Amino acid sequence: MRTKVAIIGSGPSGLLLGQLLANAGIDNIILDRVSKDYILGRVRAGVLEEGTVGLLDQAGAGARIHREGLPHDGFSLAFDGRDHRIDLYGLTGKHVMVYGQTELTHDLMDKREATGGISIYEAANVTPHDFDGGIPYVTYEKDGTTRRIDCDFIAGCDGYHGVSRKSVPESALRIFEKVYPFGWLGILAEVQPVSPELIYANHPRGFALCSMRSHTRSRYYIQCPLDDKIEKWPDDRFYDELRRRLPTEHAEAMVTAPSFEKSIAPLRSFVAEPMRFGRLFLAGDAAHIVPPTGAKGLNLAASDVHYLFESLREYYGEKSTAGIDAYSERALKRVWKAVRFSWSMTTLLHRFPDTGDFGQKIQEAELDYLVHSTAASTALAENYVGLPY
Ligand code: APR
Ligand code: PHB
């Protein structure tokens, strides 16, 4: 088989890239090691920047998000027993869209199917070859046979645990990493959200977040120790703990329902540089991870894909390599700003085991400054709604 771009990974990065390329007449094949249903069963974050929604529209997969997505004009920072609203729209003229990543993935898969794009699921041992200097190709196993796809480029959109980044010689990579000393315990429940906007709470017992997927589905999180076990968190205990971390008005208003998903996720910041090796590009989680506090993971994947798509379009349309030569540097500039923002939101809102009284006072001063200074609130809002591409 031959294609122009072999895309490893059928998550949001791979699907969005595949669709943008296909719409521009650049053929591509997507390979994933798991099944479509498995991918659609994963629960991930759900706050999209306007730029991400714009890319979904550009891909021709934006109809449902405009019908079912919830545009949000602001969110709450809760501390000291009360809410402090960050007026995203008033401060920046922009909204964010609350829409689950699972739904976005679904929309992109439907679009790919409708436009006849080739996706190969349950492909084992996917391996990129000869991307540094030679003519690249990808091998994989399916139904007991090894198959080969010849291509011009390989896009590594295969997430943090994927094969693409691991195929690059270690000496060619620089890794930057920070692991945080806590996790997030999250639940999904079919129940009306406690508030129409998201609440990020800083509390002496630890961080809490009230988010949602729709008017009838809530997504709630609490900070927990890294070695905690979900078996120790029956729903009643979870809701009690969440209520204790929220201002009284919300705690009293909260309606509960049994959770249908419950998991603990560790938090880390991770960047691999560069994001290109010859004819292999990395995009999305394959190249970087951010803690979820700023809701940037999916949005960063989208901005990588934007830069990569424009570079490839330029290559095929104008026979110029300027775009692909600049891809890594352009993408990383935006990546690092989001890494910084996610780190600062995480640092601001969580209890750290060893900050001590001094660290605690600094956190309180920063929160107070943030909500009382228009300049500081604007900087927060500008990052939250998404920096320009
Ligand atoms: N071979 C083939 N496919 C693979 C391999 C492999 N060796 N390893 C991983 N994959 C597939 C996974 O099965 C998955 O479907 O690559 C896909 C990667 O998807 P994601 O992990 O969702 O990563 P990405 O598409 O970059 O999505 C951006 O940012 O923070 C997040 O939650 C956000 O998941 C979102 C991500
Ligand atoms: C979510 O809804 O899952 C969510 C929302 C905002 C975040 C993180 C996660 O910052």
Side-chain angles (χ1 to χ4, degrees):
M1 248 189 313
R2 201 197 134 75
T3 191
K4 289 197 171 85
V5 186
I7 300 173
I8 308 180
S10 179
S13 305
L15 287 164
L16 184 58
L17 178 65
Q19 202 56 45
L20 292 172
L21 289 173
N23 295 352
I26 302 167
D27 64 83
N28 60 88
I29 294 176
I30 297 182
L31 291 156
D32 204 292
R33 70 172 164 201
V34 299
S35 69
K36 225 172 163 173
D37 286 348
Y38 185 92
I39 294 170
L40 291 173
R42 290 194 289 230
V43 178
R44 299 266 174 91
V47 177
L48 308 184
E49 298 169 358
E50 284 185 5
T52 305
V53 177
L55 283 167
L56 211 63
D57 285 333
Q58 197 184 337
R64 190 160 70 107
I65 200 171
H66 292 289
R67 279 198 316 271
E68 296 178 17
L70 308 176
H72 279 206
D73 289 348
F75 66 83
S76 246
L77 282 179
F79 58 93
D80 253 354
R82 64 187 215 69
D83 270 335
H84 306 262
R85 184 167 187 266
I86 302 294
D87 180 3
L88 295 173
Y89 190 72
L91 293 164
T92 68
K94 291 185 178 156
H95 321 262
V96 289
M97 185 75 98
V98 172
Y99 191 69
Q101 179 175 322
T102 314
E103 304 312 315
L104 176 147
T105 308
H106 215 303
D107 296 344
L108 285 166
M109 282 179 173
D110 287 351
K111 179 72 185 173
R112 188 161 180 90
E113 209 168 295
T115 51
I118 305 176
S119 298
I120 301 164
Y121 289 100
E122 296 176 276
N125 285 325
V126 176
T127 312
H129 302 268
D130 286 1
F131 48 81
D132 200 11
I135 300 171
Y137 63 99
V138 176
T139 54
Y140 65 99
E141 286 158 30
K142 177 101 185 159
D143 305 325
T145 45
T146 302
R147 300 169 197 213
R148 169 178 172 138
I149 300 173
D150 292 290
C151 54
D152 300 333
F153 297 102
I154 301 171
C157 300
D158 48 352
Y160 180 68
H161 298 288
V163 65
S164 301
R165 192 184 68 250
K166 289 180 192 139
S167 306
V168 174
E170 251 176 56
S171 58
L173 271 182
R174 197 155 169 217
I175 302 291
F176 302 84
E177 190 166 25
K178 181 171 178 61
V179 176
Y180 300 87
F182 40 72
W184 279 18
L185 168 62
I187 65 159
L188 265 175
E190 213 54 59
V191 66
Q192 181 193 340
V194 64
S195 154
E197 293 185 339
L198 271 62
I199 305 169
Y200 289 82
N202 173 306
H203 189 271
R205 297 180 67 86
F207 169 76
L209 168 61
C210 299
S211 180
M212 66 196 73
R213 291 289 173 272
S214 68
H215 293 305
T216 56
R217 183 171 286 191
S218 298
R219 179 73 169 148
Y220 294 143
Y221 299 95
I222 53 174
Q223 174 184 349
C224 67
L226 263 179
D227 58 0
D228 221 336
K229 299 275 175 284
I230 50 171
E231 302 74 53
K232 295 202 318 210
W233 286 96
D235 288 350
D236 285 351
R237 182 176 175 217
F238 179 92
Y239 284 120
D240 283 348
E241 186 59 39
L242 177 61
R243 283 198 190 93
R244 292 172 85 163
R245 297 182 188 191
L246 296 176
T248 319
E249 61 189 285
H250 296 308
E252 285 173 354
M254 180 175 283
V255 183
T256 63
S259 67
F260 61 90
E261 201 271 345
K262 190 180 284 165
S263 53
I264 294 179
L267 271 71
R268 78 169 69 218
S269 304
F270 171 94
V271 183
E273 291 190 357
M275 289 170 62
R276 175 205 175 188
F277 309 87
R279 290 176 165 256
L280 169 72
F281 303 97
L282 301 179
D285 277 17
H288 42 71
I289 298 283
V290 287
T293 326
K296 289 291 163 233
L298 174 58
N299 293 300
L300 264 193
S303 61
D304 288 354
V305 166
H306 161 78
Y307 294 127
L308 183 51
F309 166 61
E310 293 298 338
S311 305
L312 290 168
R313 180 158 70 170
E314 193 177 314
Y315 175 84
Y316 286 108
E318 296 159 32
K319 308 282 175 269
S320 160
T321 62
I324 55 179
D325 290 340
Y327 167 67
S328 177
E329 202 183 321
R330 286 175 77 196
L332 281 166
K333 269 208 169 125
R334 192 169 190 279
V335 164
W336 273 110
K337 291 192 189 100
V339 169
R340 185 211 68 80
F341 175 65
S342 307
W343 162 84
S344 79
M345 281 277 278
T346 304
T347 308
L348 178 72
L349 294 172
H350 292 75
R351 292 288 138 155
F352 283 70
D354 352 293
T355 19
D357 293 345
F358 181 81
Q360 193 48 47
K361 286 285 182 190
I362 295 290
Q363 207 183 53
E364 287 164 21
E366 190 174 348
L367 279 166
D368 193 56
Y369 173 58
L370 252 181
V371 299
H372 290 107
S373 152
T374 307
S377 305
T378 306
L380 171 71
E382 182 177 60
N383 281 277
Y384 194 85
V385 299
L387 296 175
Y389 291 178

